[in-house]
């Protein structure tokens, strides 16, 4: 019942403002859902088109400040119904949104996506979304908070019920009441585990907890590494070459490469 009610509350943010998936509605935060939403995705496409136009203007193409300002003013003005109709007509998601953006930016229509390939917005937006998702996730994963031992047993010598709650997956391990200082409590609690319904070697709850903590810390390190190793794809021309940009800049390879 609790899970169903929680899911219902999370699904209040829907439509183009949130990523839609059973896993997202159950477990993801509203902020994370928004990062993977249609609105965030296509707004990022428009931001990339704006950055491209600004760079092309800086490099000497005849793009006016008025055109740039028109694009800036309409980054969030996304007509999803029109985009869906255009995609049905054109059979191309990127060109559908080029036309939809051009509709609200008539003066800038001719410079939107100028010289670029579809992967310029598609792949780079995916990379931006992944980076921003990591930036939402990583600050919440503090190593010192990986394990939270109940405050009621901190510093207590004597009878205690230890409840080690892991932040990932709400994994719980409970020991019997034992008489020992907290620092040595877990290492002295023995437990027999079962592997494929066969009793395994006797071990301690403390050792198992250390292994779980180690796995969580290694996962955190891997997440940080993946986030730091993400690289922007760059700006490619049509069909993935630079030929279209060489044509736009009249063969000036210093401006293209």
């Amino acid at each position: 019942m609790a899970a169903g009610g929680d899911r219902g509350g999370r699904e209040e943010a829907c439509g183009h403002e949130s990523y839609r998936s059973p896993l997202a509605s159950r477990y993801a935060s509203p902020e994370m859902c928004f990062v993977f939403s249609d609105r965030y995705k296509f707004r990022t496409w428009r931001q990339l088109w704006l950055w491209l136009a600004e760079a092309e203007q800086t490099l000497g193409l005849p793009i006016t400040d008025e055109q740039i300002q028109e694009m800036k003013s309409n980054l969030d003005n996304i007509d999803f119904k029109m985009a869906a109709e255009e995609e049905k007509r054109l059979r191309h998601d990127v060109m559908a949104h080029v036309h939809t953006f051009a509709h609200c930016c008539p003066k800038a229509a001719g410079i939107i996506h100028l010289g670029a390939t579809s992967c310029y917005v598609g792949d780079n937006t995916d990379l931006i979304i992944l980076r921003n998702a990591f930036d939402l996730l990583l600050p919440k994963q503090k190593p010192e908070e990986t394990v939270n031992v109940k405050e009621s047993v901190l510093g207590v010598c004597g009878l205690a019920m230890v409840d080690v709650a892991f932040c990932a997956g709400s994994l719980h391990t409970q020991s019997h009441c034992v008489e020992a200082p907290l620092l040595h409590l877990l290492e002295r609690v023995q437990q027999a585990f079962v592997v494929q319904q066969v009793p395994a070697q006797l071990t301690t709850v403390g050792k198992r907890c250390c292994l779980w903590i180690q796995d969580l810390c290694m996962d955190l390190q891997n997440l940080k590494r993946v986030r730091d190793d993400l690289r922007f794809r760059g700006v490619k021309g049509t069909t993935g070459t630079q030929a279209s940009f060489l044509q736009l800049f009249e063969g000036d390879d210093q401006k293209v490469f």
Side-chain angles (χ1 to χ4, degrees), residues 14-124:
C14 57
H16 301 293
E17 312 297 329
S18 178
Y19 177 69
R20 286 160 289 175
S21 159
L23 295 178
S25 62
R26 290 190 184 106
Y27 309 118
S29 68
E31 294 82 6
M32 188 66 77
C33 286
F34 180 66
V35 167
F36 284 91
S37 68
D38 287 346
R39 179 169 296 280
Y40 196 89
K41 172 183 176 180
F42 296 123
R43 204 270 187 194
T44 304
W45 282 16
R46 293 187 174 192
Q47 182 66 65
L48 286 165
W49 285 324
L50 173 61
W51 288 334
L52 176 63
E54 289 175 332
E56 290 174 333
Q57 182 192 46
T58 300
L59 291 171
L61 290 188
I63 295 174
T64 67
D65 291 338
E66 186 179 19
Q67 289 173 310
I68 295 293
Q69 187 56 48
E70 187 179 51
M71 292 176 71
K72 285 183 180 179
S73 300
N74 286 281
L75 292 177
D76 295 300
N77 183 19
I78 304 175
D79 188 335
F80 287 99
K81 182 178 180 181
M82 174 181 287
E85 292 171 351
E86 287 292 321
E87 184 170 352
K88 185 176 181 180
R89 181 175 69 87
L90 298 170
R91 305 286 182 176
H92 197 294
D93 56 345
V94 174
M95 292 311 302
H97 278 270
V98 168
H99 286 217
T100 303
F101 196 17
H103 180 77
C104 54
C105 299
K107 295 177 182 177
I111 65 167
I112 296 172
H113 197 67
L114 183 59
T117 186
S118 298
C119 289
Y120 165 64
V121 290
D123 293 359
N124 284 322

Side-chain angles (χ1 to χ4, degrees), residues 82 97 113 139 156-157 168 175 190 218 223 244 249:
M82 174 181 287
H97 278 270
H113 197 67
V156 174
C157 297
S175 74
Q190 297 182 345
M218 290 173 65
L223 288 173
S244 57
F249 290 102

Side-chain angles (χ1 to χ4, degrees), residues 151-251:
E151 199 172 273
S152 59
V153 299
L154 286 177
V156 174
C157 297
L159 294 177
M161 176 66 78
V162 178
D163 183 359
V164 182
F166 285 82
C167 62
S170 298
L171 178 62
H172 294 279
T173 300
Q174 292 187 333
S175 74
H176 294 290
C177 292
V178 292
E179 186 171 354
L182 174 65
L183 294 179
H184 301 288
L185 189 59
L186 292 179
E187 69 175 353
R188 295 183 182 183
V189 178
Q190 297 182 345
Q191 185 170 0
F193 289 86
V194 176
V195 178
Q196 297 178 348
Q197 300 182 354
V198 178
Q201 181 179 357
L202 194 67
T203 185
T204 64
V205 177
K207 178 180 179 181
R208 301 301 296 184
C209 289
C210 288
L211 292 175
W212 291 326
I213 295 167
Q214 176 179 267
D215 285 345
L216 291 173
C217 289
M218 290 173 65
D219 291 340
L220 178 59
Q221 290 176 348
N222 287 332
L223 288 173
K224 289 179 178 178
R225 177 186 56 78
V226 172
R227 188 259 180 249
D228 292 341
D229 286 348
L230 287 174
R231 295 292 181 268
F232 195 71
R233 187 181 181 277
V235 183
K236 297 294 184 182
T238 53
T239 67
T241 71
Q242 302 295 56
S244 57
F245 288 122
L246 281 172
Q247 183 178 359
L248 284 172
F249 290 102
E250 299 178 342

